[in-house]
Amino acid sequence: MKTVHTINALQEELNALRLQGKRVGLVPTMGALHAGHASLVKRSVAENDVTVVSDFVNPTQFNDLNDLAKYPRTLEADCRLLEACGVNFVFAPSVEEIYPEPDTRQFSFAPLDTVMEGIYRPGHFNGVCQIVSKLFDIVKPDKAYFGEKDFQQLAIIREMVRQMHFPLEIVGCPIVREADGLALSSRNARLSAEQRQQALKISQTLFESRDFAKSHSVSETRQMVEEAINQAPGLRLEYFELVDGNTLQSIESWDDTTYAVGCITVYCGEVRLIDNIKYV
Ligand code: PAF
């Protein structure tokens, strides 16, 4: 495994491999890797000749500078995990390498990016599209891997690829959970032991809501989740939306869609956690 820090160095390596007919998989990450990332990486290693993992905390997608400052940076540990997964290249550029000048491009994939995270994190998806489109241009992967935990991000990236004709396949990978149900997230590292226990209520409530939904309406299910989280110690609900999994628009009745998804964002102390569940 090689760790490269510049676009030129990475492209030199990849051009040579592509001339040999090798197929390239890309796993974009912001580092602080955990078993959820490892599942994407292992899938890429299994499906491609060469796997590139980018490890870059992208400043343009943070609308909260405090969140950016506190984002864990663990390149050495990340490299150990990636080497064990069989990765070929870790791309760990500096901010100046990626943004030698400010990126003024504006992406809009309405209505996908005007709901949920789009409301609560203004500019976030613009920053995600800036970095992901740059990574696609730099790496020119055959396939790129993203987790379903960031459900809205995945839908927006699929739409960006469709509208901008990037010649690659997007592979969405299922959420990886701890044994007790908590969705894996780099942010979990910031939870105290007590908060870690409190946060468990998020996935528990989502699982309960899946059973509850079988005999209750959309609005009753929404209310049940909202009440459970609002009553839970240490948690503050930002939103819970029941949406069509393709359009991300709210549903009013289970008959509105065959692909209902519940998307939730909850603060546990200062830590913002997201999760989702499919009602199928
Ligand atoms: O999901 C993430 O970790 C980030 O949003 C991504 C896709 C790596 C872009 O910085």
Side-chain angles (χ1 to χ4, degrees), residues 77-122:
D78 294 347
C79 285
R80 284 195 294 275
L81 179 145
L82 295 174
E83 180 131 49
C85 291
V87 165
N88 305 90
F89 298 100
V90 181
F91 179 45
S94 64
V95 172
E96 295 70 34
E97 179 72 7
I98 294 294
Y99 298 112
E101 64 277 326
D103 192 337
T104 54
R105 293 174 301 157
Q106 291 294 324
F107 294 82
S108 165
F109 297 109
L112 295 177
D113 56 3
T114 54
V115 295
M116 299 192 287
E117 297 293 284
I119 296 173
Y120 290 94
R121 299 188 72 188

Side-chain angles (χ1 to χ4, degrees), residues 27-31 37 40 54 56-59 61-62 71 99 121 124-125 127-129 131-132 135 145-147 150 153 157 186:
V27 186
T29 82
M30 296 207 298
H37 296 107
L40 310 185
S54 59
F56 177 67
V57 181
N58 173 40
Q61 70 188 74
F62 285 82
Y71 205 85
Y99 298 112
R121 299 188 72 188
H124 168 66
F125 287 124
V128 169
C129 290
I131 183 61
V132 172
L135 290 170
Y145 297 77
F146 295 87
D150 294 297
Q153 168 174 280
I157 289 170
S186 304

Side-chain angles (χ1 to χ4, degrees), residues 215-259:
S215 53
H216 294 83
S217 68
V218 166
S219 65
E220 286 165 340
T221 305
R222 192 180 295 126
Q223 193 182 346
M224 174 272 190
V225 171
E226 287 172 356
E227 283 176 9
I229 300 296
N230 284 332
Q231 285 162 17
L235 300 185
R236 181 166 65 79
L237 179 69
E238 190 157 75
Y239 65 81
F240 172 67
E241 293 288 348
L242 283 158
V243 301
D244 175 286
N246 293 314
T247 65
L248 305 187
Q249 302 309 293
S250 290
I251 54 168
E252 296 308 325
S253 148
W254 299 118
D255 294 335
D256 288 350
T257 179
T258 52
Y259 183 24

Side-chain angles (χ1 to χ4, degrees), residues 116-175:
M116 299 192 287
E117 297 293 284
I119 296 173
Y120 290 94
R121 299 188 72 188
H124 168 66
F125 287 124
N126 197 56
V128 169
C129 290
Q130 287 177 341
I131 183 61
V132 172
S133 62
K134 273 182 186 263
L135 290 170
F136 288 171
D137 282 335
I138 293 166
V139 176
K140 300 186 176 48
D142 296 284
K143 293 186 179 191
Y145 297 77
F146 295 87
E148 288 182 350
K149 187 169 83 67
D150 294 297
F151 192 80
Q152 187 172 9
Q153 168 174 280
L154 176 57
I156 289 168
I157 289 170
R158 283 192 196 285
E159 185 61 11
M160 177 177 80
V161 164
R162 194 186 71 78
Q163 288 191 24
M164 297 177 70
H165 310 287
F166 281 108
L168 58 91
E169 182 189 335
I170 297 294
V171 182
C173 303
I175 297 178

